[in-house]
Short mmCIF file of all heavy atoms in Angstrom, two decimals:
data_model
loop_
_atom_site.label_atom_id
_atom_site.label_comp_id
_atom_site.label_asym_id
_atom_site.label_seq_id
_atom_site.Cartn_x
_atom_site.Cartn_y
_atom_site.Cartn_z
N MET A 120 -31.05 -37.26 78.52
CA MET A 120 -31.59 -37.85 77.36
C MET A 120 -31.05 -39.36 77.35
O MET A 120 -29.82 -39.55 77.69
CB MET A 120 -30.95 -37.10 76.17
CG MET A 120 -31.41 -37.75 74.89
SD MET A 120 -30.84 -36.49 73.48
CE MET A 120 -31.58 -37.41 72.17
N ASP A 121 -31.89 -40.19 77.01
CA ASP A 121 -31.65 -41.62 76.89
C ASP A 121 -30.87 -42.07 75.67
O ASP A 121 -31.44 -41.74 74.56
CB ASP A 121 -32.84 -42.59 77.18
CG ASP A 121 -32.51 -43.94 77.39
OD1 ASP A 121 -31.37 -44.34 77.68
OD2 ASP A 121 -33.47 -44.64 77.56
N THR A 122 -29.76 -42.75 75.72
CA THR A 122 -29.03 -43.07 74.51
C THR A 122 -29.69 -44.14 73.70
O THR A 122 -29.45 -44.40 72.46
CB THR A 122 -27.59 -43.55 74.80
OG1 THR A 122 -27.62 -44.71 75.73
CG2 THR A 122 -26.75 -42.31 75.45
N PHE A 123 -30.63 -44.91 74.34
CA PHE A 123 -31.33 -45.89 73.62
C PHE A 123 -32.15 -45.35 72.53
O PHE A 123 -32.26 -46.07 71.45
CB PHE A 123 -32.17 -46.71 74.65
CG PHE A 123 -33.13 -47.72 73.99
CD1 PHE A 123 -32.36 -49.02 73.52
CD2 PHE A 123 -34.38 -47.67 73.82
CE1 PHE A 123 -33.23 -49.83 72.93
CE2 PHE A 123 -35.20 -48.53 73.15
CZ PHE A 123 -34.62 -49.77 72.72
N HIS A 124 -32.70 -44.26 72.66
CA HIS A 124 -33.59 -43.58 71.70
C HIS A 124 -32.91 -43.17 70.42
O HIS A 124 -33.39 -42.94 69.35
CB HIS A 124 -34.38 -42.49 72.24
CG HIS A 124 -35.46 -42.95 73.20
ND1 HIS A 124 -36.47 -43.61 72.88
CD2 HIS A 124 -35.48 -42.76 74.59
CE1 HIS A 124 -37.18 -43.91 74.06
NE2 HIS A 124 -36.56 -43.43 75.10
N LEU A 125 -31.57 -42.93 70.60
CA LEU A 125 -30.66 -42.61 69.41
C LEU A 125 -30.56 -43.69 68.37
O LEU A 125 -30.26 -43.32 67.34
CB LEU A 125 -29.28 -41.97 70.03
CG LEU A 125 -29.38 -40.96 70.84
CD1 LEU A 125 -27.97 -40.61 71.24
CD2 LEU A 125 -29.82 -39.65 70.07
N PHE A 126 -30.68 -44.93 68.79
CA PHE A 126 -30.37 -45.98 67.91
C PHE A 126 -31.55 -46.75 67.44
O PHE A 126 -31.61 -47.70 66.71
CB PHE A 126 -29.34 -47.03 68.60
CG PHE A 126 -28.10 -46.42 68.86
CD1 PHE A 126 -27.80 -46.08 70.26
CD2 PHE A 126 -27.21 -46.09 68.01
CE1 PHE A 126 -26.64 -45.60 70.52
CE2 PHE A 126 -26.05 -45.57 68.37
CZ PHE A 126 -25.69 -45.33 69.56
N VAL A 127 -32.82 -46.25 67.83
CA VAL A 127 -34.08 -46.85 67.49
C VAL A 127 -34.65 -46.21 66.28
O VAL A 127 -34.62 -45.03 66.23
CB VAL A 127 -35.02 -47.00 68.58
CG1 VAL A 127 -36.22 -47.53 68.15
CG2 VAL A 127 -34.39 -47.75 69.82
N GLY A 128 -35.08 -46.95 65.24
CA GLY A 128 -35.69 -46.33 64.14
C GLY A 128 -35.27 -46.92 62.77
O GLY A 128 -34.42 -47.70 62.67
N VAL A 129 -35.80 -46.38 61.79
CA VAL A 129 -35.53 -46.82 60.45
C VAL A 129 -34.37 -45.98 59.95
O VAL A 129 -34.21 -44.89 60.14
CB VAL A 129 -36.77 -46.57 59.47
CG1 VAL A 129 -36.30 -47.08 58.01
CG2 VAL A 129 -37.93 -47.40 60.05
N PRO A 130 -33.32 -46.67 59.34
CA PRO A 130 -32.17 -45.92 58.85
C PRO A 130 -32.63 -44.86 57.75
O PRO A 130 -33.29 -45.23 56.79
CB PRO A 130 -31.19 -46.92 58.22
CG PRO A 130 -31.83 -48.22 58.37
CD PRO A 130 -33.19 -48.07 59.05
N GLY A 131 -31.94 -43.78 57.83
CA GLY A 131 -32.23 -42.64 56.93
C GLY A 131 -31.23 -42.73 55.63
O GLY A 131 -30.57 -43.58 55.52
N GLY A 132 -31.07 -41.61 54.96
CA GLY A 132 -30.34 -41.43 53.80
C GLY A 132 -28.85 -41.66 54.16
O GLY A 132 -28.20 -42.46 53.43
N PRO A 133 -28.28 -40.93 54.99
CA PRO A 133 -26.93 -41.16 55.33
C PRO A 133 -26.46 -42.65 55.84
O PRO A 133 -25.40 -43.08 55.33
CB PRO A 133 -26.51 -40.10 56.37
CG PRO A 133 -27.55 -39.03 56.30
CD PRO A 133 -28.87 -39.91 55.76
N GLU A 134 -27.41 -43.11 56.65
CA GLU A 134 -27.11 -44.43 57.14
C GLU A 134 -27.09 -45.50 55.89
O GLU A 134 -26.37 -46.39 55.83
CB GLU A 134 -28.21 -44.82 58.14
CG GLU A 134 -27.84 -44.14 59.48
CD GLU A 134 -28.79 -42.83 59.56
OE1 GLU A 134 -29.44 -42.49 58.42
OE2 GLU A 134 -28.59 -42.20 60.44
N LEU A 135 -28.01 -45.30 55.03
CA LEU A 135 -28.27 -46.27 53.81
C LEU A 135 -27.07 -46.14 52.90
O LEU A 135 -26.53 -47.06 52.33
CB LEU A 135 -29.45 -46.01 53.10
CG LEU A 135 -30.73 -46.42 53.83
CD1 LEU A 135 -32.01 -46.06 52.94
CD2 LEU A 135 -30.76 -47.76 54.07
N LEU A 136 -26.40 -44.92 52.80
CA LEU A 136 -25.28 -44.76 52.01
C LEU A 136 -24.21 -45.44 52.59
O LEU A 136 -23.23 -45.99 51.65
CB LEU A 136 -25.06 -43.18 51.86
CG LEU A 136 -25.96 -42.49 50.78
CD1 LEU A 136 -25.62 -40.88 50.80
CD2 LEU A 136 -25.89 -42.99 49.48
N VAL A 137 -24.04 -45.34 53.89
CA VAL A 137 -22.87 -46.07 54.59
C VAL A 137 -23.09 -47.53 54.35
O VAL A 137 -22.04 -48.19 54.00
CB VAL A 137 -22.75 -45.59 56.15
CG1 VAL A 137 -21.72 -46.64 56.84
CG2 VAL A 137 -22.41 -44.23 56.26
N ILE A 138 -24.22 -48.10 54.55
CA ILE A 138 -24.47 -49.49 54.27
C ILE A 138 -24.11 -49.97 52.85
O ILE A 138 -23.53 -50.94 52.65
CB ILE A 138 -25.95 -49.84 54.71
CG1 ILE A 138 -26.15 -49.74 56.24
CG2 ILE A 138 -26.22 -51.20 54.40
CD1 ILE A 138 -27.60 -49.79 56.69
N LEU A 139 -24.59 -49.08 51.90
CA LEU A 139 -24.16 -49.41 50.50
C LEU A 139 -22.81 -49.43 50.27
O LEU A 139 -22.24 -50.12 49.60
CB LEU A 139 -24.91 -48.35 49.63
CG LEU A 139 -24.76 -48.51 48.14
CD1 LEU A 139 -25.38 -49.92 47.59
CD2 LEU A 139 -25.33 -47.44 47.30
N GLY A 140 -22.07 -48.36 50.83
CA GLY A 140 -20.55 -48.31 50.73
C GLY A 140 -19.93 -49.57 51.25
O GLY A 140 -18.98 -50.06 50.68
N ILE A 141 -20.33 -49.90 52.49
CA ILE A 141 -19.77 -51.23 52.97
C ILE A 141 -19.98 -52.50 52.08
O ILE A 141 -19.13 -53.30 51.90
CB ILE A 141 -20.38 -51.34 54.46
CG1 ILE A 141 -19.72 -50.40 55.39
CG2 ILE A 141 -20.01 -52.90 54.89
CD1 ILE A 141 -20.39 -50.42 56.77
N ALA A 142 -21.22 -52.60 51.57
CA ALA A 142 -21.64 -53.61 50.70
C ALA A 142 -20.82 -53.61 49.38
O ALA A 142 -20.30 -54.63 48.91
CB ALA A 142 -23.08 -53.51 50.29
N VAL A 143 -20.48 -52.43 48.82
CA VAL A 143 -19.63 -52.31 47.66
C VAL A 143 -18.18 -52.86 48.00
O VAL A 143 -17.54 -53.62 47.23
CB VAL A 143 -19.54 -50.89 47.11
CG1 VAL A 143 -18.47 -50.73 46.13
CG2 VAL A 143 -20.96 -50.55 46.46
N LEU A 144 -17.75 -52.38 49.19
CA LEU A 144 -16.38 -52.87 49.75
C LEU A 144 -16.28 -54.40 49.90
O LEU A 144 -15.30 -54.97 49.54
CB LEU A 144 -16.01 -52.16 50.88
CG LEU A 144 -15.68 -50.63 50.88
CD1 LEU A 144 -15.42 -50.05 52.15
CD2 LEU A 144 -14.44 -50.41 49.84
N LEU A 145 -17.35 -54.98 50.50
CA LEU A 145 -17.21 -56.35 50.71
C LEU A 145 -17.50 -57.16 49.50
O LEU A 145 -16.76 -58.20 49.34
CB LEU A 145 -18.41 -56.72 51.78
CG LEU A 145 -18.18 -56.32 53.10
CD1 LEU A 145 -19.34 -56.50 54.08
CD2 LEU A 145 -16.85 -56.83 53.71
N PHE A 146 -18.38 -56.90 48.65
CA PHE A 146 -18.75 -57.74 47.54
C PHE A 146 -18.24 -57.25 46.19
O PHE A 146 -18.18 -58.00 45.23
CB PHE A 146 -20.21 -57.87 47.46
CG PHE A 146 -20.94 -58.57 48.70
CD1 PHE A 146 -21.64 -57.61 49.45
CD2 PHE A 146 -20.69 -59.78 48.94
CE1 PHE A 146 -22.19 -58.18 50.67
CE2 PHE A 146 -21.36 -60.38 50.03
CZ PHE A 146 -21.98 -59.58 50.91
N GLY A 147 -17.88 -55.99 45.98
CA GLY A 147 -17.47 -55.43 44.76
C GLY A 147 -18.66 -54.98 44.05
O GLY A 147 -19.78 -55.49 43.96
N ALA A 148 -18.36 -53.95 43.20
CA ALA A 148 -19.46 -53.36 42.52
C ALA A 148 -19.92 -54.36 41.34
O ALA A 148 -21.27 -54.21 41.06
CB ALA A 148 -18.96 -52.01 41.78
N ASN A 149 -19.26 -55.25 40.89
CA ASN A 149 -19.74 -56.10 39.78
C ASN A 149 -20.66 -57.19 40.18
O ASN A 149 -21.46 -57.64 39.59
CB ASN A 149 -18.57 -56.76 39.05
CG ASN A 149 -17.67 -55.86 38.34
OD1 ASN A 149 -18.01 -54.71 38.03
ND2 ASN A 149 -16.39 -56.09 38.20
N LYS A 150 -20.49 -57.49 41.59
CA LYS A 150 -21.37 -58.70 42.12
C LYS A 150 -22.65 -58.09 42.71
O LYS A 150 -23.50 -58.87 43.09
CB LYS A 150 -20.46 -59.43 43.10
CG LYS A 150 -19.46 -60.14 42.54
CD LYS A 150 -18.74 -61.12 43.51
CE LYS A 150 -17.60 -61.82 42.75
NZ LYS A 150 -16.92 -62.65 43.75
N LEU A 151 -22.73 -56.75 43.02
CA LEU A 151 -24.04 -56.37 43.69
C LEU A 151 -25.29 -56.56 42.93
O LEU A 151 -26.26 -56.94 43.45
CB LEU A 151 -23.86 -54.79 43.85
CG LEU A 151 -22.92 -54.44 45.10
CD1 LEU A 151 -22.95 -53.05 45.41
CD2 LEU A 151 -23.36 -55.16 46.45
N PRO A 152 -25.35 -56.40 41.53
CA PRO A 152 -26.65 -56.76 40.82
C PRO A 152 -26.88 -58.20 41.08
O PRO A 152 -28.21 -58.51 41.15
CB PRO A 152 -26.32 -56.39 39.35
CG PRO A 152 -25.27 -55.26 39.46
CD PRO A 152 -24.43 -55.83 40.70
N ALA A 153 -25.94 -59.13 40.94
CA ALA A 153 -26.16 -60.60 40.95
C ALA A 153 -26.77 -60.85 42.42
O ALA A 153 -27.66 -61.65 42.61
CB ALA A 153 -25.02 -61.34 40.74
N LEU A 154 -26.17 -60.31 43.45
CA LEU A 154 -26.49 -60.44 44.89
C LEU A 154 -27.91 -59.92 45.16
O LEU A 154 -28.76 -60.55 45.69
CB LEU A 154 -25.53 -59.67 45.82
CG LEU A 154 -25.74 -59.76 47.23
CD1 LEU A 154 -25.55 -61.22 47.78
CD2 LEU A 154 -24.87 -58.80 48.01
N ALA A 155 -28.22 -58.77 44.53
CA ALA A 155 -29.65 -58.23 44.68
C ALA A 155 -30.65 -59.11 43.96
O ALA A 155 -31.71 -59.42 44.53
CB ALA A 155 -29.71 -56.76 44.14
N ARG A 156 -30.28 -59.63 42.81
CA ARG A 156 -31.18 -60.56 42.05
C ARG A 156 -31.48 -61.84 42.88
O ARG A 156 -32.66 -62.26 43.03
CB ARG A 156 -30.61 -60.95 40.65
CG ARG A 156 -31.47 -61.62 39.75
CD ARG A 156 -30.94 -61.80 38.27
NE ARG A 156 -30.33 -60.56 37.83
CZ ARG A 156 -29.01 -60.47 37.55
NH1 ARG A 156 -27.98 -61.33 37.97
NH2 ARG A 156 -28.58 -59.33 36.97
N SER A 157 -30.39 -62.47 43.37
CA SER A 157 -30.61 -63.67 44.01
C SER A 157 -31.31 -63.46 45.42
O SER A 157 -32.09 -64.31 45.80
CB SER A 157 -29.22 -64.32 44.25
OG SER A 157 -28.44 -63.53 45.20
N SER A 158 -31.04 -62.30 46.02
CA SER A 158 -31.91 -61.98 47.18
C SER A 158 -33.25 -61.83 46.88
O SER A 158 -34.31 -62.30 47.63
CB SER A 158 -31.34 -60.64 47.91
OG SER A 158 -30.02 -60.93 48.23
N GLY A 159 -33.62 -61.18 45.70
CA GLY A 159 -35.14 -60.93 45.38
C GLY A 159 -35.69 -62.36 45.03
O GLY A 159 -36.88 -62.64 45.44
N GLN A 160 -34.96 -63.19 44.35
CA GLN A 160 -35.47 -64.52 44.18
C GLN A 160 -35.81 -65.44 45.38
O GLN A 160 -36.79 -66.09 45.47
CB GLN A 160 -34.59 -65.37 43.12
CG GLN A 160 -34.51 -64.82 41.79
CD GLN A 160 -33.50 -65.39 40.86
OE1 GLN A 160 -32.62 -66.06 41.37
NE2 GLN A 160 -33.52 -65.09 39.55
N ALA A 161 -34.85 -65.30 46.39
CA ALA A 161 -35.00 -66.06 47.53
C ALA A 161 -36.26 -65.44 48.40
O ALA A 161 -36.98 -66.22 48.87
CB ALA A 161 -33.76 -65.91 48.43
N LEU A 162 -36.38 -64.15 48.28
CA LEU A 162 -37.59 -63.55 48.95
C LEU A 162 -38.89 -63.93 48.22
O LEU A 162 -39.80 -64.30 48.90
CB LEU A 162 -37.44 -62.05 49.08
CG LEU A 162 -38.54 -61.18 49.78
CD1 LEU A 162 -38.50 -61.71 51.29
CD2 LEU A 162 -38.34 -59.79 49.63
N GLY A 163 -38.93 -63.95 46.99
CA GLY A 163 -39.96 -64.60 46.21
C GLY A 163 -40.45 -65.86 46.67
O GLY A 163 -41.57 -66.37 46.80
N GLU A 164 -39.37 -66.72 46.72
CA GLU A 164 -39.69 -68.24 47.00
C GLU A 164 -40.12 -68.24 48.44
O GLU A 164 -40.94 -69.13 48.77
CB GLU A 164 -38.37 -68.95 46.87
CG GLU A 164 -37.90 -69.25 45.52
CD GLU A 164 -38.78 -70.12 44.78
OE1 GLU A 164 -39.32 -71.11 45.35
OE2 GLU A 164 -39.10 -69.75 43.56
N PHE A 165 -39.60 -67.57 49.46
CA PHE A 165 -40.06 -67.51 50.82
C PHE A 165 -41.59 -67.12 50.86
O PHE A 165 -42.35 -67.77 51.51
CB PHE A 165 -39.23 -66.56 51.59
CG PHE A 165 -39.58 -66.44 52.90
CD1 PHE A 165 -39.33 -67.43 53.88
CD2 PHE A 165 -40.42 -65.28 53.49
CE1 PHE A 165 -39.91 -67.37 55.34
CE2 PHE A 165 -40.79 -65.25 54.76
CZ PHE A 165 -40.54 -66.28 55.68
N LYS A 166 -41.91 -66.09 50.10
CA LYS A 166 -43.33 -65.63 50.04
C LYS A 166 -44.25 -66.64 49.40
O LYS A 166 -45.33 -66.91 50.00
CB LYS A 166 -43.44 -64.37 49.27
CG LYS A 166 -42.99 -63.19 49.99
CD LYS A 166 -43.23 -61.81 49.14
CE LYS A 166 -42.72 -60.66 49.88
NZ LYS A 166 -42.84 -59.48 49.08
N LYS A 167 -43.75 -67.35 48.41
CA LYS A 167 -44.58 -68.38 47.73
C LYS A 167 -44.75 -69.58 48.72
O LYS A 167 -45.88 -70.13 48.82
CB LYS A 167 -43.98 -68.83 46.53
CG LYS A 167 -44.75 -69.84 45.66
CD LYS A 167 -44.23 -69.99 44.30
CE LYS A 167 -43.19 -71.18 44.32
NZ LYS A 167 -42.71 -71.64 43.00
N GLY A 168 -43.74 -70.03 49.38
CA GLY A 168 -43.89 -71.14 50.38
C GLY A 168 -44.82 -70.73 51.58
O GLY A 168 -45.51 -71.56 51.96
N ARG A 169 -44.73 -69.56 52.00
CA ARG A 169 -45.46 -69.08 53.00
C ARG A 169 -47.01 -69.11 52.69
O ARG A 169 -47.85 -69.53 53.50
CB ARG A 169 -45.20 -67.64 53.55
CG ARG A 169 -45.81 -67.30 54.80
CD ARG A 169 -45.69 -65.72 55.11
NE ARG A 169 -46.59 -65.09 54.22
CZ ARG A 169 -46.35 -63.81 53.77
NH1 ARG A 169 -45.25 -63.09 54.19
NH2 ARG A 169 -47.09 -63.16 52.98
N GLN A 170 -47.29 -68.59 51.53
CA GLN A 170 -48.74 -68.56 50.97
C GLN A 170 -49.25 -69.98 50.92
O GLN A 170 -50.36 -70.21 51.09
CB GLN A 170 -48.63 -67.98 49.68
CG GLN A 170 -48.54 -66.39 49.84
CD GLN A 170 -48.59 -65.76 48.51
OE1 GLN A 170 -48.50 -66.29 47.33
NE2 GLN A 170 -48.61 -64.34 48.35
N GLU A 171 -48.32 -71.01 50.44
CA GLU A 171 -48.71 -72.38 50.27
C GLU A 171 -49.07 -72.92 51.62
O GLU A 171 -50.12 -73.63 51.82
CB GLU A 171 -47.67 -73.17 49.53
CG GLU A 171 -47.59 -72.86 48.19
CD GLU A 171 -46.40 -73.72 47.47
OE1 GLU A 171 -45.71 -74.31 48.27
OE2 GLU A 171 -46.12 -73.53 46.27
N ILE A 172 -48.35 -72.69 52.50
CA ILE A 172 -48.51 -73.13 53.95
C ILE A 172 -49.82 -72.62 54.56
O ILE A 172 -50.69 -73.22 55.14
CB ILE A 172 -47.40 -72.92 54.89
CG1 ILE A 172 -46.20 -73.79 54.40
CG2 ILE A 172 -47.69 -73.18 56.39
CD1 ILE A 172 -44.77 -73.36 55.14
N GLU A 173 -50.05 -71.26 54.40
CA GLU A 173 -51.19 -70.67 54.89
C GLU A 173 -52.53 -71.24 54.16
O GLU A 173 -53.53 -71.53 54.82
CB GLU A 173 -51.13 -69.18 54.56
CG GLU A 173 -50.19 -68.45 55.60
CD GLU A 173 -50.11 -66.93 55.10
OE1 GLU A 173 -50.69 -66.60 54.14
OE2 GLU A 173 -49.51 -66.31 55.96
N THR A 174 -52.46 -71.49 52.91
CA THR A 174 -53.53 -72.17 52.21
C THR A 174 -53.81 -73.54 52.59
O THR A 174 -54.97 -73.94 52.91
CB THR A 174 -53.11 -72.19 50.60
OG1 THR A 174 -52.86 -70.93 50.13
CG2 THR A 174 -54.35 -72.82 49.88
N GLU A 175 -52.81 -74.35 52.86
CA GLU A 175 -52.87 -75.70 53.51
C GLU A 175 -53.57 -75.62 54.80
O GLU A 175 -54.39 -76.46 55.21
CB GLU A 175 -51.68 -76.43 53.56
CG GLU A 175 -51.04 -76.88 52.18
CD GLU A 175 -49.75 -77.45 52.23
OE1 GLU A 175 -49.30 -77.83 53.38
OE2 GLU A 175 -49.16 -77.70 51.09
N LEU A 176 -53.07 -74.68 55.61
CA LEU A 176 -53.70 -74.63 57.00
C LEU A 176 -55.16 -74.18 56.94
O LEU A 176 -55.93 -74.67 57.76
CB LEU A 176 -52.89 -73.58 57.94
CG LEU A 176 -51.37 -74.09 58.24
CD1 LEU A 176 -50.65 -72.97 59.02
CD2 LEU A 176 -51.54 -75.29 59.12
N ARG A 177 -55.44 -73.24 56.09
CA ARG A 177 -56.76 -72.80 55.91
C ARG A 177 -57.75 -73.96 55.46
O ARG A 177 -58.87 -74.13 56.01
CB ARG A 177 -56.90 -71.59 54.99
CG ARG A 177 -58.13 -70.73 54.98
CD ARG A 177 -58.12 -69.64 54.13
NE ARG A 177 -56.92 -68.76 54.29
CZ ARG A 177 -56.01 -68.52 53.39
NH1 ARG A 177 -56.15 -69.09 52.13
NH2 ARG A 177 -54.98 -67.67 53.61
N GLU A 178 -57.24 -74.71 54.47
CA GLU A 178 -58.13 -75.68 54.02
C GLU A 178 -58.18 -76.81 55.12
O GLU A 178 -59.31 -77.55 55.14
CB GLU A 178 -57.38 -76.31 52.80
CG GLU A 178 -57.39 -75.53 51.60
CD GLU A 178 -56.70 -75.91 50.37
OE1 GLU A 178 -55.99 -77.04 50.52
OE2 GLU A 178 -56.73 -75.54 49.26
N ALA A 179 -57.26 -77.11 55.90
CA ALA A 179 -57.26 -78.11 57.01
C ALA A 179 -58.29 -77.60 58.09
O ALA A 179 -59.17 -78.47 58.49
CB ALA A 179 -55.91 -78.33 57.51
N ALA A 180 -58.21 -76.36 58.31
CA ALA A 180 -59.13 -75.84 59.30
C ALA A 180 -60.59 -75.93 58.86
O ALA A 180 -61.52 -76.29 59.51
CB ALA A 180 -58.85 -74.35 59.68
N GLU A 181 -60.84 -75.60 57.58
CA GLU A 181 -62.21 -75.62 56.89
C GLU A 181 -62.63 -77.18 56.88
O GLU A 181 -63.82 -77.42 57.10
CB GLU A 181 -62.18 -75.01 55.61
CG GLU A 181 -62.08 -73.64 55.53
CD GLU A 181 -61.91 -73.04 54.09
OE1 GLU A 181 -61.96 -73.80 53.22
OE2 GLU A 181 -61.81 -71.78 54.03
N GLY A 182 -61.83 -78.08 56.60
CA GLY A 182 -62.18 -79.48 56.50
C GLY A 182 -62.57 -80.04 57.91
O GLY A 182 -63.42 -80.76 58.20
N GLU A 183 -61.78 -79.52 58.99
CA GLU A 183 -62.03 -79.98 60.35
C GLU A 183 -63.41 -79.45 60.87
O GLU A 183 -64.31 -80.10 61.31
CB GLU A 183 -61.02 -79.46 61.28
CG GLU A 183 -59.69 -80.28 61.19
CD GLU A 183 -58.69 -79.80 62.00
OE1 GLU A 183 -58.98 -78.72 62.93
OE2 GLU A 183 -57.51 -80.22 62.06
N SER A 184 -63.72 -78.11 60.40
CA SER A 184 -64.97 -77.55 60.75
C SER A 184 -66.21 -78.28 60.02
O SER A 184 -67.23 -78.40 60.57
CB SER A 184 -65.13 -76.09 60.57
OG SER A 184 -64.96 -75.75 59.16
N ASN A 185 -66.00 -78.60 58.89
CA ASN A 185 -66.93 -79.22 58.10
C ASN A 185 -67.30 -80.66 58.61
O ASN A 185 -68.26 -81.23 58.72
CB ASN A 185 -66.61 -79.30 56.58
CG ASN A 185 -66.64 -77.99 55.93
OD1 ASN A 185 -67.36 -77.14 56.34
ND2 ASN A 185 -66.09 -77.85 54.75
N ALA A 186 -66.24 -81.41 59.05
CA ALA A 186 -66.29 -82.79 59.48
C ALA A 186 -66.96 -82.72 60.83
O ALA A 186 -67.60 -83.72 61.27
CB ALA A 186 -65.06 -83.47 59.62
N ALA A 187 -66.91 -81.64 61.60
CA ALA A 187 -67.53 -81.55 63.06
C ALA A 187 -69.02 -81.22 63.00
O ALA A 187 -69.65 -81.60 64.01
CB ALA A 187 -66.89 -80.30 63.81
N ASP A 188 -69.49 -80.85 61.79
CA ASP A 188 -71.05 -80.58 61.57
C ASP A 188 -71.69 -81.93 61.47
O ASP A 188 -71.55 -82.57 60.41
CB ASP A 188 -71.23 -79.64 60.44
CG ASP A 188 -70.75 -78.25 60.87
OD1 ASP A 188 -70.59 -77.92 61.99
OD2 ASP A 188 -70.61 -77.36 59.81
N PRO A 189 -72.58 -82.40 62.30
CA PRO A 189 -73.28 -83.59 62.09
C PRO A 189 -74.31 -83.66 60.96
O PRO A 189 -74.52 -84.59 60.36
CB PRO A 189 -74.00 -83.89 63.41
CG PRO A 189 -73.97 -82.60 64.12
CD PRO A 189 -72.85 -81.78 63.58
N GLU A 190 -74.77 -82.34 60.57
CA GLU A 190 -75.70 -82.24 59.45
C GLU A 190 -75.07 -82.57 58.07
O GLU A 190 -75.61 -82.87 57.17
CB GLU A 190 -76.34 -80.84 59.59
CG GLU A 190 -77.21 -80.67 60.74
CD GLU A 190 -77.68 -79.24 60.68
OE1 GLU A 190 -77.45 -78.52 59.81
OE2 GLU A 190 -78.37 -78.95 61.76
N ASP A 191 -73.63 -82.31 58.04
CA ASP A 191 -72.99 -82.45 56.82
C ASP A 191 -72.58 -83.87 56.56
O ASP A 191 -72.04 -84.16 55.49
CB ASP A 191 -71.74 -81.56 56.76
CG ASP A 191 -72.17 -80.07 56.80
OD1 ASP A 191 -73.40 -79.67 56.20
OD2 ASP A 191 -71.45 -79.15 57.16
N ALA A 192 -72.51 -84.62 57.67
CA ALA A 192 -72.02 -85.94 57.54
C ALA A 192 -73.04 -86.78 56.65
O ALA A 192 -74.20 -86.65 56.67
CB ALA A 192 -72.04 -86.68 58.79
N VAL A 193 -72.38 -87.69 55.83
CA VAL A 193 -73.23 -88.45 54.95
C VAL A 193 -73.46 -89.86 55.48
O VAL A 193 -72.65 -90.46 55.97
CB VAL A 193 -72.48 -88.69 53.52
CG1 VAL A 193 -73.15 -89.60 52.63
CG2 VAL A 193 -72.18 -87.31 52.87
N THR A 194 -74.72 -90.15 55.62
CA THR A 194 -75.07 -91.53 56.20
C THR A 194 -75.62 -92.42 55.07
O THR A 194 -76.47 -91.85 54.27
CB THR A 194 -76.12 -91.33 57.27
OG1 THR A 194 -77.29 -90.71 56.76
CG2 THR A 194 -75.57 -90.56 58.50
N GLU A 195 -75.26 -93.61 55.05
CA GLU A 195 -75.82 -94.67 54.09
C GLU A 195 -76.96 -95.47 54.78
O GLU A 195 -76.82 -95.78 55.92
CB GLU A 195 -74.67 -95.58 53.64
CG GLU A 195 -73.58 -94.80 52.92
CD GLU A 195 -72.55 -95.83 52.59
OE1 GLU A 195 -72.81 -97.01 52.34
OE2 GLU A 195 -71.42 -95.31 52.22
N THR A 196 -77.90 -95.65 54.03
CA THR A 196 -78.98 -96.46 54.42
C THR A 196 -79.11 -97.73 53.54
O THR A 196 -78.81 -97.74 52.28
CB THR A 196 -80.44 -95.74 54.34
OG1 THR A 196 -80.51 -95.24 52.98
CG2 THR A 196 -80.37 -94.56 55.21
N ALA A 197 -79.42 -98.80 54.09
CA ALA A 197 -79.45 -100.10 53.36
C ALA A 197 -80.72 -100.40 52.76
O ALA A 197 -81.86 -100.08 53.16
CB ALA A 197 -79.00 -101.28 54.26
#
């Protein structure tokens, strides 16, 4: 049996309890809600920033494809 397979996967119930216990010891029970709140806010800001960048990239790609079409180009006549 390969030992590598023992450590791969999503942590289950007992592992999560150990992680929670370590977090309580490190940060204290009073600071955990504030830590969770700030982590959630940071994650929300990250998602919002990612969506803004994706929107800008999509708009830039659409702008380049529209500029590449000669039929869409506006020509002025005197």
